[in-house]
Amino acid sequence: MTALAIDIGGTKILVALVRDGVVLERRQVATPRDGGGDAWCAAIADAAAGWRGQYSSAGAAVTGGIRDGRWYALNPETLPAPAGFPLEATLSDMLGLPVHCTNDAQAAGWGEYRRGAGQGRDMGFVTISTGIGGGLVLGGKLVSGISGLGGHVGLMPLATVDGSTAIENLCSGRWIAKQAEGRADDARGVFAAAATGADWAREIIDLSMDRAALVLRTLQWLVDPAVIVVGGGIGLVPSYFAGLQQRLASGPHRTELRPALLGGDAGVIGAAELALAHSETENAHE
Ligand code: BMX
């Protein structure tokens, strides 16, 4: 069964055709950050137009929260998703079939559990990207919680004593880009500068790794999972992943730290799996 899968992140939107955990075709567009919900959905419908008739279910993994099919930002700085935007209804109308929507890190965590680095083991998934998202799979179940936000570690108010800011605001890709203060255009530019030996860039990345390692450490204390899978455009930079590994090397936990095996496809692969499971449940109830 082929699914249309969508991943709406703070920086890019990926639209793909997925079958049995494999991406058959993909299209990627930059997220028009100021466009708003209708513009983002139109960009998705456009990108998928050529695949009409080739899929029988559809799912979307989105940055932010989903409640009753409506979308809202948890941290509008990651993406200012319009509060209460009817994402499921709008995408379903535009694409002509029901579209099941989930938080992006939840979907990616499920993708890694089913088809990637987590396979079959209790796992925590952490994506270090524009923001920092998280998901948990325990006992073979995605722990969505009552709000669909289980394991959302990037939003924990860890790094400040007064709890006034989420830890992602102090180490995510957006934070890295902001610290450059004009010396680089984006997080990628900071990594490029660090690679050529710029001390200012190394310091920013080191501090980001120190703080992101706290996120992973917290997950270890809370859940002590067999594996923590790290994904996202920042988390998957090899030197960054190695820095996290080094910071977690000591301590009593036996948790294995692994890079997402599905890389940037984890979200669409997870969204496809969840869409399929959802449409099977719906059909069983008909
Ligand atoms: C933020 C939050 C999470 C998301 C995470 C990673 C919003 C818009 N997003 O914590 O829901 O999982 O960022 O998102 O509130 P990404 O866009 O960086 O992949």
Side-chain angles (χ1 to χ4, degrees), residues 7-11 62-65 71-81 103-106 127-134 149 152 154-155 168:
D7 188 346
I8 310 177
T11 306
V62 305
T63 186
W71 190 12
Y72 59 96
L74 299 155
N75 185 345
E77 289 188 38
T78 302
L79 188 70
N103 165 260
D104 57 355
Q106 299 269 322
T127 173
I128 306 171
S129 177
T130 314
I132 297 184
L149 299 173
H152 236 81
L155 290 165
E168 67 173 359

Side-chain angles (χ1 to χ4, degrees), residues 120-207:
R121 293 183 292 169
D122 279 358
M123 63 166 271
F125 176 81
V126 178
T127 173
I128 306 171
S129 177
T130 314
I132 297 184
L136 288 176
V137 182
L138 300 177
K141 290 219 159 70
L142 181 63
V143 183
S144 295
I146 198 160
S147 328
L149 299 173
H152 236 81
V153 283
L155 290 165
M156 293 188 298
L158 271 187
T160 56
V161 176
D162 68 0
S164 62
T165 192
I167 188 144
E168 67 173 359
N169 290 332
L170 300 168
C171 57
S172 68
R174 195 168 38 74
W175 178 84
I176 292 174
K178 205 155 72 184
Q179 301 316 300
E181 292 173 340
R183 290 167 292 189
D185 290 342
D186 50 19
R188 187 188 293 258
V190 179
F191 277 93
T196 61
D199 285 341
W200 64 266
R202 283 199 184 152
E203 280 162 23
I204 294 170
I205 293 168
D206 277 350
L207 189 52

